Amino acid sequence: MGTSSDPTQDTSDEQQKRSEIYTYEAPWHIYAMNWSVRRDKKYRLAIASLLEQYPNRVEIVQLDDTTGEIKSDPNLSFEHPYPPTKSIFIPDKDCQRPDLLATSSDFLRIWRISDSDESASDSRAVELKTLLNGNKNSEYCGPITSFDWNEAEPRRIGTSSIDTTCTIWDIEKETVDTQLIAHDKEVYDIAWGGVGVFASVSADGSVRVFDLRDKEHSTIIYESSEPDTPLVRLGWNKQDPRYMATIIMDSAKVVVLDIRFPTLPVVELQRHQASVNAIAWAPHSSCHICTAGDDSQALIWDLSSMGQPVEGGLDPILAYTAGAEIEQLQWSSSQPDWVAIAFSTKLQILRV
């Protein structure tokens, strides 16, 4: 992805440094994966296992750009109950806050990462800081399908659950700020669109937007045209919050919405050959989005012309084919030239 340099102008060492793709092979199938945001931890990611058993693993890996190798730090590898459905590092580019990683499965967990140098040899470099259970009345809680960390107000995390609720946590007070029944069926994804505004998608086929100043009401932005077609992923464009994108379960198309004109998609992206699994808006451009799916393809689209009809539909501007179905995709907000994908046991970072 991106242009390769002219070999006549570069030594092989320099070419290696400018490589477009780096690969890491995990000892297990990868599902949850995300980039670190801190400026002082370049090329660092968290990856988590998808094992059909209670104990699962999380590893924190980092590209050593002098050797071109992505390495796992054994001190930063830890056991996790059930496979995490998502992982997010604290949105703290300027390194003002503790180095935290959040994960979701049966509960929302916040982990604190110590630098390997600063943690004494007998202490663990990653420690569970907080376990947040939204259902105070019982030990059981509906599994958390997804969550999002509020960039504008990092003490807030919103979670979505199969029990039809969304929960907004204050992670500093370690309490529930708001819990609301968001949909008629399971909620599969949640995304912040600002300090107090979030959206969610559900098995009921709708995209709904909530404003924490008026918790009694929500706005339905879109409903899938066929009945019983769950919406499974939601991406909100951080650079232009008028736009969001969603994925229909087992569908090869991505629906892009303009929240000012509810119900009608602005554009449908229809170049995948199999189900789409993941979407990521560019963190640095208002009109680019990456999509990835079971056709092993990661596609980047330029949506700058999305208002005008395009004969035969829009084509992607870049395509990358991986070695297996791509289940996870994340675009680095602190290094926007890099996209990460996960397929089977491999993590790849691609220069775009």
Side-chain angles (χ1 to χ4, degrees), residues 18-246:
R18 291 228 233 131
S19 176
E20 307 291 322
I21 302 167
Y22 298 99
T23 306
Y24 174 78
E25 179 127 20
W28 22 254
H29 191 105
I30 300 169
Y31 183 65
M33 171 274 284
N34 221 326
W35 289 93
S36 177
V37 179
R38 294 168 64 99
R39 291 187 206 280
D40 65 348
K41 300 286 184 196
K42 284 194 167 177
Y43 303 110
R44 182 179 73 159
L45 301 102
I47 56 173
S49 63
L50 176 58
L51 300 169
E52 291 186 11
Q53 59 188 45
Y54 180 75
N56 273 259
R57 299 289 305 168
V58 176
E59 281 185 359
I60 293 173
V61 301
Q62 193 159 12
L63 171 69
D64 178 340
D65 53 0
T66 55
T67 65
E69 222 184 321
I70 299 176
K71 292 180 181 153
S72 169
D73 182 341
N75 296 320
L76 300 179
S77 170
F78 57 97
E79 195 168 285
H80 191 284
Y82 301 108
T85 51
K86 195 166 185 182
S87 62
I88 306 182
F89 284 92
I90 186 168
D92 174 33
K93 272 186 191 162
D94 299 326
C95 317
Q96 300 297 306
R97 297 165 183 265
D99 193 5
L100 304 178
L101 172 70
T103 57
S104 54
S105 57
D106 50 344
F107 302 113
L108 178 66
R109 289 175 174 83
I110 315 278
W111 309 83
R112 184 172 178 148
I113 304 160
S114 319
D115 262 339
S116 302
D117 340 327
E118 61 180 64
S119 63
S121 53
D122 57 341
S123 75
R124 300 244 318 282
V126 181
E127 288 181 321
L128 181 61
K129 179 180 174 287
T130 322
L131 183 150
L132 298 165
N133 176 4
N135 189 346
K136 286 287 175 272
N137 307 328
S138 81
E139 286 301 296
Y140 169 79
C141 105
I144 297 171
T145 50
S146 186
F147 71 98
D148 197 19
W149 205 321
N150 193 317
E151 288 177 23
E153 194 162 19
R155 65 184 176 86
R156 274 186 181 162
I157 289 180
T159 61
S160 57
S161 169
I162 64 166
D163 66 8
T164 75
T165 64
C166 288
T167 305
I168 309 304
W169 290 93
D170 182 326
I171 62 161
E172 285 172 10
K173 293 183 184 158
E174 300 182 6
T175 56
V176 172
D177 186 55
T178 302
Q179 186 168 51
L180 38 88
I181 293 172
H183 289 266
D184 306 328
K185 292 183 178 174
E186 298 94 325
V187 190
Y188 286 135
D189 204 3
I190 181 170
W192 289 103
V195 175
V197 179
F198 69 90
S200 56
V201 292
S202 159
D204 65 17
S206 68
V207 179
R208 300 186 187 192
V209 174
F210 297 84
D211 189 325
L212 293 175
R213 292 165 303 190
D214 179 13
K215 296 169 191 166
E216 300 305 307
H217 301 99
S218 66
T219 306
I220 295 179
I221 297 298
Y222 174 74
E223 287 185 287
S224 46
S225 45
E226 299 90 49
D228 297 322
T229 43
L231 302 178
V232 288
R233 288 284 165 264
L234 178 67
W236 201 326
N237 186 338
K238 297 276 195 288
Q239 295 300 315
D240 188 345
R242 294 173 300 179
Y243 296 105
M244 48 176 76
T246 186

